């Protein structure tokens, strides 16, 4: 099967038609969905693929010898390969571990690689802009093992300060870094960081939860050793995520959870773990979710990730322009000023209105944005705020969505004036 | 759909714009307690001074949305100078108003829910005075935690000083 050639620009009007929620109304307002960084919407074709699988093919995988079960297994494993290819995995059938979400992927690394390789006094380097998903697993391990945590700082433009990177990673065993900040939108120079980390002998765990849905991804070019992401932020279903890991590293790791699927043999006095990637997938996996993820990456490939990215740069630049033109000093926009340095995520705070209140008023106009700390409290402290409002884009958003956001913000300012 | 005016009543906006009893009391002798709303990051600091059986002084610090800030301000005005026992009662009444279940489903003497059609004794909203302005928050369930943050923090503070 050959996929159609990727388009170079996005036909947003056509894309939008695939998303039922976005074509409907609520209380007389179109739904202006600007919270894709939290979870994206799913196109009809993803939902259809899942339903059709359920209706025609479902059985447990890796178990039955009957044809329906074989077909289910084939499709499940095909989804693995598709997810791996989507991020440029050199050995997709062995390097892609299905997890529940990005969070579980990072926890898997902490529990397997971490427990095998990290002991008292070992240093782990994180950035100040990490999501809690790439902070708390390391804090937990630090508590248990007595690790030293070091932090790559964030500057006032929302960029990582890398001048001191050599010194920070010196002697460190692991570097955890997000490819794209879910608050600032900042796209981090993963390749550069990986090179320095590797020179110091550290492995690199990249959090791809935000970057994979929005930016063309090639794990080899990024240079990381692990990359975790979630299907539900990339037009796929909830309940499934991916941990990609370099084959040599995965092959050496102990299992994560114990149970069925992850073993080759079980005796009364022990067990033999399965080969990778199944070694890390105890129990019945999220099968229909894998089918949905496969449909989602096929769709993104068809749209073309380069086109998705170009569309997002355009939309982000437009939004940054509209917000500063219309609100000036009333709004503080966090993160890099240049749309090319960031993904489609814009966090802002209003001079007089708390993000919670902003988001509440916006909701009255059908505008869905997120307000809060975005699971990034260390970064919130660095920014000197307790919360921000955040608008984030998907391939289905357009300039009209940005205009409706700005109009609703003006209403909020009037309401609280 | 519940409208914004159900949530943002005039009294609420007034307390948000000009919060009462703002600041911190020197601690000691006052007791200082912090509360967090993990959902939105709001932080509140309640300083309380208990002398004998009376909450003689209270101050509110921290930052948050209009609902959490106005609720804290209204609370401080309502409890300052009151006997601790009365304060605890007020906390109970306020939280009952904020709880969809407790507010609508009366309980029998064993605390079991009784059929609401039977002899319902809803929360005595009148007893809450200005605080009743926060009643509309119940229509916006995600904001209930904002409204109750300062109250839970005060209750924790009273427990910590072993008052009442
Ligand atoms: C940067 C980043 N990392 C990790 C996560 C966690 O994703 P999930 O909740 O799907 O595990 C998120 C999602 O909010 C995120 O934005």
């Amino acid at each position: 099967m050959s996929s159609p050639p990727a388009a170079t620009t996005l036909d947003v009007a056509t894309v939008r038609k695939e998303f039922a929620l976005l074509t409907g109304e609520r209380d007389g307002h179109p739904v202006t969905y600007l919270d894709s960084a939290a979870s994206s919407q799913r196109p009809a074709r993803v939902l259809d693929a899942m339903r059709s699988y359920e209706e025609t093919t479902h059985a447990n995988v890796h178990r039955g010898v009957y044809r329906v079960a074989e077909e289910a297994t084939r499709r499940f494993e095909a989804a693995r390969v598709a997810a791996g290819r989507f991020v440029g995995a050199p050995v997709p059938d062995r390097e892609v571990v299905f997890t529940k979400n990005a969070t579980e992927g990072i926890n898997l690394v902490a529990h397997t690689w971490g427990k095998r390789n990290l002991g008292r006094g070992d240093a782990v380097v994180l950035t100040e802009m990490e999501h809690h998903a790439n902070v708390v697993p390391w804090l937990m391990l630090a508590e248990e093992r007595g690790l030293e945590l070091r932090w790559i700082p964030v500057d006032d433009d929302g960029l990582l300060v890398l001048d001191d990177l050599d010194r920070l990673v010196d002697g460190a065993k692991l570097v955890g870094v997000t490819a794209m900040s879910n608050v600032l939108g900042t796209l981090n120079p993963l390749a550069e960081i990986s090179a320095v980390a590797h020179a110091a002998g550290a492995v690199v765990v990249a959090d791809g939860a935000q970057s994979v849905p929005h930016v063309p991804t090639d794990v080899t070019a990024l240079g990381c050793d692990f990359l975790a992401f979630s299907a539900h932020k990339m037009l796929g279903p909830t309940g499934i995520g991916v941990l990609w890991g370099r084959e040599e590293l995965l092959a050496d790791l102990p299992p994560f959870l114990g149970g069925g699927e992850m073993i080759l043999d079980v005796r009364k006095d022990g067990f033999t773990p399965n080969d990778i990637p199944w070694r890390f997938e105890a129990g019945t996996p999220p099968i229909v979710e894998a089918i949905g993820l496969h449909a989602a990456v096929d769709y993104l490939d068809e749209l073309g990730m380069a086109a998705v990215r170009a569309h997002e740069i355009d939309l982000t630049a437009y939004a940054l322009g509209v917000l500063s033109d219309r609100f000036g000093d009333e709004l503080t926009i966090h993160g890099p000023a240049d749309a090319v340095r960031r993904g489609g995520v814009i966090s802002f705070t209003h001079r007089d209105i708390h993000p919670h209140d902003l988001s509440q008023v916006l909701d009255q106009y059908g505008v869905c944005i997120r307000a809060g700390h975005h699971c990034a409290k260390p970064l919130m402290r660095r920014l000197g705020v307790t919360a921000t409002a955040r608008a984030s884009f998907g391939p289905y958003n357009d300039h009209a969505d940005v205009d409706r956001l700005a109009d609703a913000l003006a209403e909020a300012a009037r309401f609280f004036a | 759909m519940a409208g914004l005016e159900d949530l943002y009543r005039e009294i609420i906006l007034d307390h948000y714009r000009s919060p009462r009893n703002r600041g911190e009391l020197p601690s000691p002798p006052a007791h200082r307690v912090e509360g967090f709303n993990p959902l939105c990051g709001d932080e509140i600091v309640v300083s309380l001074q208990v002398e004998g059986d009376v909450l003689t002084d209270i101050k509110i610090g921290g930052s948050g949305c209009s609902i959490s800030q106005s609720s804290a301000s209204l609370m401080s005005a309502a409890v300052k100078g009151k006997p601790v026992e009365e304060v605890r009662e007020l906390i109970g009444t306020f939280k009952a108003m904020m709880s969809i279940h407790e507010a609508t489903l009366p309980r029998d003497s064993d605390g079991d829910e009784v059929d609401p059609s039977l002899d319902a004794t809803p929360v005595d909203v009148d007893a809450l005075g200005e605080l009743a302005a926060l009643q509309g928050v119940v229509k916006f369930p995600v904001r209930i935690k904002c409204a109750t943050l300062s109250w839970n923090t005060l209750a924790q503070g009273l427990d910590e000083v072993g008052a009442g």
Side-chain angles (χ1 to χ4, degrees):
Chain A
M1 226 172 25
S2 70
S3 42
T8 49
T9 56
L10 216 55
D11 176 2
V12 182
T14 306
V15 170
R16 237 177 139 84
K17 290 198 188 107
E18 289 247 4
F19 296 84
L21 184 87
L22 307 179
T23 50
E25 280 202 347
R26 282 216 166 185
D27 304 308
H29 293 284
V31 176
T32 303
Y33 188 76
L34 296 172
D35 198 17
S36 295
S39 197
S40 60
Q41 298 298 325
R42 293 162 252 300
R45 66 181 75 196
V46 166
L47 303 174
D48 290 347
M50 293 171 75
R51 186 175 178 94
S52 133
Y53 165 83
E54 296 274 28
E55 287 176 351
T56 63
T57 318
H58 179 65
N60 211 331
V61 293
H62 307 134
R63 306 243 208 296
V65 290
Y66 48 93
R67 278 167 299 157
V68 172
E70 274 178 10
E71 170 74 5
T73 303
R74 193 186 60 69
R75 294 199 51 192
F76 178 70
E77 290 302 325
R80 187 190 306 279
V81 171
R85 288 211 175 112
F86 187 70
V87 295
V91 199
D93 56 331
R94 288 174 53 80
E95 295 180 325
V96 168
V97 179
F98 282 136
T99 60
K100 191 164 64 183
N101 46 37
T103 303
E104 192 182 61
I106 296 168
N107 276 276
L108 194 160
V109 178
H111 277 262
T112 58
W113 192 93
K115 291 204 170 167
R116 172 150 293 178
N117 294 289
L118 297 175
R120 176 158 299 281
D122 283 340
V124 166
V125 180
L126 303 172
T127 84
E128 276 183 340
M129 65 168 80
E130 293 311 300
H131 186 280
H132 294 168
N134 204 16
V135 176
V136 183
W138 307 113
L139 286 174
M140 288 166 75
L141 203 58
E143 219 165 72
E144 187 187 309
R145 300 264 163 123
L147 309 178
E148 177 200 350
L149 292 193
R150 302 177 188 164
W151 299 87
I152 301 177
V154 172
D155 71 15
D156 290 339
D157 295 324
L159 301 171
L160 291 179
V161 180
L162 298 173
D163 308 344
D164 248 0
L165 188 60
D166 282 324
R167 198 184 48 78
L168 268 177
V169 301
D170 184 35
K173 292 234 168 125
L174 181 137
V175 176
V177 54
T178 187
M180 170 179 155
S181 162
N182 64 315
V183 176
L184 305 167
T186 315
L187 292 164
N188 289 322
L190 251 287
E192 184 189 327
I193 295 170
S194 298
V196 176
H198 285 159
V203 308
V204 176
V205 182
D207 177 350
Q210 293 298 336
S211 65
V212 170
H214 302 284
V215 184
T217 302
D218 181 313
V219 287
T220 311
L222 291 178
C224 54
D225 301 288
F226 296 100
L227 177 75
F229 54 100
S230 285
H232 72 92
K233 294 185 200 280
M234 49 192 288
L235 315 183
T238 57
I240 190 166
V242 166
L243 175 70
W244 169 83
R246 272 201 300 121
E247 187 182 15
E248 318 85 84
L249 280 176
L250 286 182
D252 253 4
L253 294 182
F256 176 36
L257 303 175
E261 284 280 320
M262 50 72 70
I263 46 83
L264 282 182
D265 186 27
V266 179
R267 302 163 304 275
K268 282 186 175 163
D269 63 350
F271 69 94
T272 310
N274 202 342
D275 199 357
I276 60 170
W278 308 287
R279 185 187 304 163
F280 309 105
E281 296 177 357
T284 300
I287 306 168
V288 67
E289 289 79 2
I291 304 300
L293 171 58
H294 191 166
V297 299
D298 278 356
Y299 182 49
L300 286 169
D301 272 336
E302 188 180 319
L303 296 176
M305 285 308 291
V308 167
R309 174 70 187 130
H311 165 68
E312 228 163 61
I313 292 175
D314 166 72
L315 201 53
T316 305
Y318 179 72
L320 292 172
V322 167
L323 293 179
S324 57
D325 285 353
R326 286 185 60 175
F327 301 97
D329 292 346
E330 253 177 85
L331 284 189
T332 301
I333 297 174
H334 304 282
D338 180 359
V340 175
R341 303 205 72 162
R342 62 196 289 160
V345 167
I346 301 180
S347 275
F348 52 92
T349 40
H350 189 279
R351 193 184 51 208
D352 308 318
I353 312 171
H354 189 277
H356 242 182
D357 295 314
L358 267 187
S359 157
Q360 189 85 59
V361 178
L362 264 52
D363 179 50
Q364 300 287 310
Y365 297 91
V367 177
C368 313
I369 62 160
R370 176 86 179 268
H373 55 62
H374 315 293
C375 299
K377 286 199 86 169
L379 177 61
M380 294 287 120
R381 294 207 169 91
R382 165 66 183 85
L383 298 175
V385 296
T386 54
T388 73
R390 179 186 75 184
S392 56
F393 307 126
Y396 33 68
N397 290 119
D398 57 16
H399 287 203
D401 287 324
V402 173
D403 294 337
R404 283 194 292 269
L405 166 68
D407 290 345
L409 283 172
E411 292 296 336
R414 197 175 359 261
F415 185 84
F416 282 101
Chain B
M1 181 176 67
L4 287 179
E5 50 299 334
D6 289 318
L7 185 62
Y8 297 114
R9 306 276 298 279
E10 208 35 64
I11 300 176
I12 294 179
L13 293 176
D14 173 50
H15 276 260
Y16 179 46
R17 291 185 184 117
S18 349
R20 323 291 198 266
N21 302 303
R22 186 81 198 153
E24 290 196 27
L25 296 170
S27 164
H31 184 68
R32 185 178 183 280
V33 53
E34 292 180 2
F36 296 93
N37 182 344
L39 187 73
C40 58
D42 283 1
E43 297 171 3
I44 199 146
V45 182
V46 176
S47 309
L48 55 149
Q49 179 81 45
V50 176
E51 289 167 39
D53 296 334
V54 177
L55 177 60
T56 52
D57 204 0
I58 180 167
K59 290 241 188 265
I60 308 290
S63 68
C65 67
S66 61
I67 301 302
S68 74
Q69 294 296 293
S70 63
S71 182
S73 169
L74 282 156
M75 176 186 84
S76 70
V79 301
K80 189 169 161 175
K82 291 268 161 59
V84 170
E85 198 185 314
E86 247 180 71
V87 173
R88 285 201 181 269
E89 257 169 48
L90 190 62
I91 294 174
T93 312
F94 182 80
K95 287 184 66 182
M97 177 175 83
M98 281 300 131
S99 152
I100 301 163
H101 289 289
E102 278 163 323
T104 51
L105 299 176
R107 284 161 195 278
D108 65 20
S109 53
D110 297 330
D112 293 328
E113 280 167 12
V114 297
D115 184 337
S117 62
L118 300 173
D119 192 25
T121 35
V123 175
D124 183 4
V125 172
D126 289 344
L128 288 169
E130 281 198 329
L131 289 166
L134 285 158
Q135 207 178 3
V137 173
V138 183
K139 294 182 190 162
F140 300 81
V142 291
R143 305 301 292 275
I144 291 175
K145 280 210 168 74
C146 309
T148 53
L149 177 62
S150 54
W151 296 82
N152 288 328
T153 309
L154 173 60
Q156 186 193 332
L158 290 175
D159 288 346
E160 286 173 5
V161 297

